Amino acid sequence: MTEAEELRFACDAMCGGLARWLRAIGYDTSFTPDVDDAELVEHCACEQRVLISADGRLFERRAITSGQVRALRLPRGLRLRQQLEWVVLAMRLDVRPPRCTACNGTLRPVRRDEVQHIVPARSLVWADEFYCCYSCGKAFWNGTHWMRMQRVRERLTELLQADRANSSSAGRAAD
Ligand SMILES: [Zn+2]
């Protein structure tokens, strides 16, 4: 298993939007806004999650300064989309099949008739891909929201490719 396959994240209380997007690109990301800093760091230590936060105080905690908990400090002032791009490039995150954006569960493809009781009738007619979350049962389909997510996923893949191309040409220049 490569490191990227094991990577799991925990977003702090200020990064709920980012947590949903990391799930949308396939990364196991917890978001528990009601815990305090100590509990959050403990949770990361127990579950070996990389903590993501823009809160400088968190980074002074011993578990983090000692390297026991890996943490990624978000630059302040970034908008949500910029946060996502920043994390993807900083951690070189390949875009993977999405997880449930609501609860972080894994999605399984399902047949139309399995979700006909939850998906709105008109979406049932024109959507042709349906997924269900193993954990919370929420249904997803390739409607407008899914398409928007797909465009962001494609844009991130392009960014990563451009970044890799840049760093390999920089590597050659340094040789
Ligand atoms: Zn779910």
Side-chain angles (χ1 to χ4, degrees):
M1 194 184 276
T2 67
E3 190 199 25
E5 283 171 294
E6 292 171 41
L7 267 180
R8 301 195 297 170
F9 298 100
C11 284
D12 81 355
M14 302 301 290
C15 304
L18 179 61
R20 280 192 295 279
W21 270 109
L22 287 171
R23 293 168 182 170
I25 62 166
Y27 289 85
D28 180 335
T29 306
S30 66
F31 175 64
T32 41
D34 46 348
V35 299
D36 65 26
D37 288 358
E39 288 169 321
L40 178 60
V41 170
E42 179 65 25
H43 161 73
C44 291
C46 284
E47 300 196 356
Q48 297 193 311
R49 291 180 182 273
V50 178
L51 174 63
I52 303 180
S53 172
D55 178 359
R57 280 173 321 151
L58 263 174
F59 291 82
E60 291 163 13
R61 292 194 159 258
R62 191 168 347 148
I64 293 174
T65 56
S66 70
Q68 187 204 351
V69 169
R70 203 170 158 197
L72 197 59
R73 187 167 180 173
L74 273 182
R76 284 190 177 277
L78 297 185
R79 294 207 299 229
L80 178 54
R81 198 63 62 79
Q82 296 169 316
Q83 287 181 342
L84 177 66
E85 291 177 0
W86 189 87
V87 172
V88 161
L89 290 178
M91 302 294 292
R92 299 281 174 101
L93 301 181
D94 285 312
V95 174
R96 300 178 182 171
R99 298 174 73 93
C100 177
T101 51
C103 83
N104 196 35
T106 48
L107 300 182
R108 66 184 171 102
V110 291
R111 295 188 316 269
R112 183 180 269 115
D113 61 288
E114 291 178 82
V115 286
Q116 61 186 3
H117 56 295
I118 7 184
V119 176
R122 67 170 194 284
S123 303
L124 272 179
V125 175
W126 54 261
D128 55 8
E129 283 177 54
F130 300 91
Y131 302 87
C132 217
C133 173
Y134 273 113
S135 305
C136 74
K138 190 174 159 72
F140 296 85
W141 58 94
N142 56 340
T144 47
H145 178 67
W146 187 270
M147 297 303 194
R148 204 159 48 229
M149 186 172 92
Q150 207 49 42
R151 280 196 295 275
V152 173
R153 290 165 50 87
E154 282 161 13
R155 154 104 184 117
L156 291 172
T157 302
E158 286 166 12
L159 262 182
L160 265 176
Q161 281 165 351
D163 187 61
R164 288 206 173 104
N166 274 339
S167 45
S168 67
S169 60
R172 276 198 300 276
D175 283 343

